[in-house]
Amino acid sequence: MDHLTALASSGVHVLAAADGPSVWTQMVGSALIGLREGLETGIVVMVLIAFVVKTDRRDALKWIWAGVGAAVAMTLVVFLVIHFGTSTMTPLAAETIAGVASLVAVGIVTFMVLWMSEASSHISADLKSGMSKALLTGGASVLGLAFLAVGREGFETALLMVGYAESVSGGLWPLLGLVVGIVGAIVLTVLIYRGAIRMNLSVFFTYTGLFLIVVAAGILTYGIRALQTVGWLPGLGNTAFDVSETYDASSWYGTILGGIFNVRPDPTVLQVIAWIVYVVVVTTIFFRRQRAGHRAIAARTSDESSAPVEPAPERNPQ
């Protein structure tokens, strides 16, 4: 009887993790990440494919897809090696690796979000220029360009997901949610490519960029607490506040905020300071770089419109 009771109890914990975020919370958070990162990657692939199709170089499509496949495989390997490699370590070593991986993920994600906020205005032109040069060199160059373009996004996603999965107690559920989000991004990309739907990508990347900033801030606080636990950072006992009596971490809002943004009722002082500083500084830089990108587009458009138009040659010159 005791065995059956324990088995039933374990089954309940699988669907509603009492010691951590629920399954659905883990999947929703990672699905949003997968949707954002997947659509960003999908747009990169869409630009490359559209360019070779319009230039009548369909023979290069197989090299593009080979590069994309290699990049996806690399992304999965990076995620699985880092995420599940910690299971063979001692709890203290695993906590250390999780903390360091989280901080590395925050650094890379921050760089990519800020880069995308400004580069989105000219990324299409850069990709087309790179593809035109790669087509002259050969199939290996096309494969390499596709691999680097997609692999850059994939590596960012892998590290982001490592930090996110660790912050929500690990397991396969965050990975499954990521796959769901990526599948949704693939569907949206295909529909955009075929002209079935129209989407204001500038607005999409602005809001999802802000979402990633807050997610990264939560991963940052998780990494800080992990390193405080192993003694690499001080202040584990210095609690900034404790609202456990009024904030129910096991409630629906507690599991969502804890699972997606790593909100906890008893953060340390260092965690609170790091979260505030990160969000304020990165958000400010994000909007400044975005405005700089918009000004660059406006200036380029103004230069093109003010350029003198050469008169058309006469049809029958005498």
Side-chain angles (χ1 to χ4, degrees):
M1 180 63 68
D2 292 340
H3 175 71
L4 293 176
T5 302
L7 183 61
S9 176
S10 65
V12 172
H13 282 293
V14 169
L15 294 177
D19 298 329
S22 67
V23 166
W24 298 112
T25 300
Q26 296 179 48
M27 290 185 63
V28 168
S30 57
L32 289 173
I33 293 173
L35 180 64
R36 198 271 184 190
E37 297 298 299
L39 187 56
E40 186 175 318
T41 305
I43 290 172
V44 169
V45 176
M46 183 175 64
V47 170
L48 297 178
I49 291 176
F51 181 79
V52 298
V53 170
K54 290 183 178 180
T55 54
D56 199 24
R57 287 295 308 271
R58 292 178 178 270
D59 58 295
L61 286 175
K62 60 179 181 293
W63 297 109
I64 292 178
W65 287 118
V68 171
V72 171
M74 181 270 294
T75 300
L76 289 175
V77 169
V78 170
F79 176 83
L80 294 175
V81 167
I82 298 178
H83 182 50
F84 292 105
T86 57
S87 61
T88 61
M89 302 178 182
T90 64
L92 191 63
E95 192 79 8
T96 304
I97 295 297
V100 172
S102 297
L103 297 185
V104 172
V106 170
I108 292 180
V109 171
T110 302
F111 171 79
M112 293 303 298
V113 168
L114 295 180
W115 174 81
M116 188 64 182
S117 66
E118 185 176 2
S120 58
S121 60
H122 56 78
I123 188 172
S124 178
D126 292 344
L127 287 171
K128 290 177 181 177
S129 175
M131 179 57 75
S132 63
K133 296 176 182 177
L135 287 172
L136 294 175
T137 307
S141 297
V142 175
L143 187 152
L145 176 64
F147 175 81
L148 292 176
V150 176
R152 178 179 58 194
E153 306 290 344
F155 188 71
E156 171 199 355
T157 305
L159 288 181
L160 175 60
M161 281 304 303
V162 166
Y164 177 77
E166 291 293 342
S167 68
V168 295
S169 303
L172 284 173
W173 296 113
L175 182 59
L176 180 59
L178 178 70
V179 172
V180 172
I182 291 176
V183 170
I186 293 173
V187 172
L188 283 176
T189 302
V190 172
L191 293 176
I192 293 173
Y193 179 77
R194 295 183 177 277
I197 62 172
R198 293 185 179 274
M199 178 181 294
N200 190 324
L201 295 176
S202 177
V203 173
F204 175 84
F205 284 123
T206 295
Y207 283 109
T208 54
L210 293 174
F211 167 76
L212 280 186
I213 289 174
V214 179
V215 169
I219 295 175
L220 173 63
T221 60
Y222 167 80
I224 288 175
R225 193 175 187 94
L227 295 182
Q228 286 179 316
T229 301
V230 299
W232 283 26
L233 291 176
L236 181 61
N238 297 329
T239 302
F241 54 83
D242 190 346
V243 293
S244 300
E245 295 183 358
T246 57
Y247 178 87
D248 186 2
S250 62
S251 64
W252 66 269
Y253 63 85
T255 56
I256 291 176
L257 294 177
I260 299 177
F261 303 113
N262 201 47
V263 175
R264 56 182 302 138
D266 57 344
T268 65
V269 174
L270 184 57
Q271 282 182 294
V272 172
I273 293 175
W275 192 95
I276 294 174
V277 171
Y278 178 85
V279 170
V280 171
V281 171
V282 176
T283 302
T284 301
I285 298 175
F286 176 82
F287 281 117
R288 285 182 178 177
R289 291 178 67 89
Q290 192 175 62
R291 285 195 295 269
H294 291 162
R295 285 195 298 267
I297 294 177
R300 187 180 308 131
T301 303
S302 177
D303 291 341
E304 292 175 354
S305 62
S306 61
V309 179
E310 296 183 0
E314 297 181 5
R315 290 181 176 273
N316 297 308
Q318 299 296 329

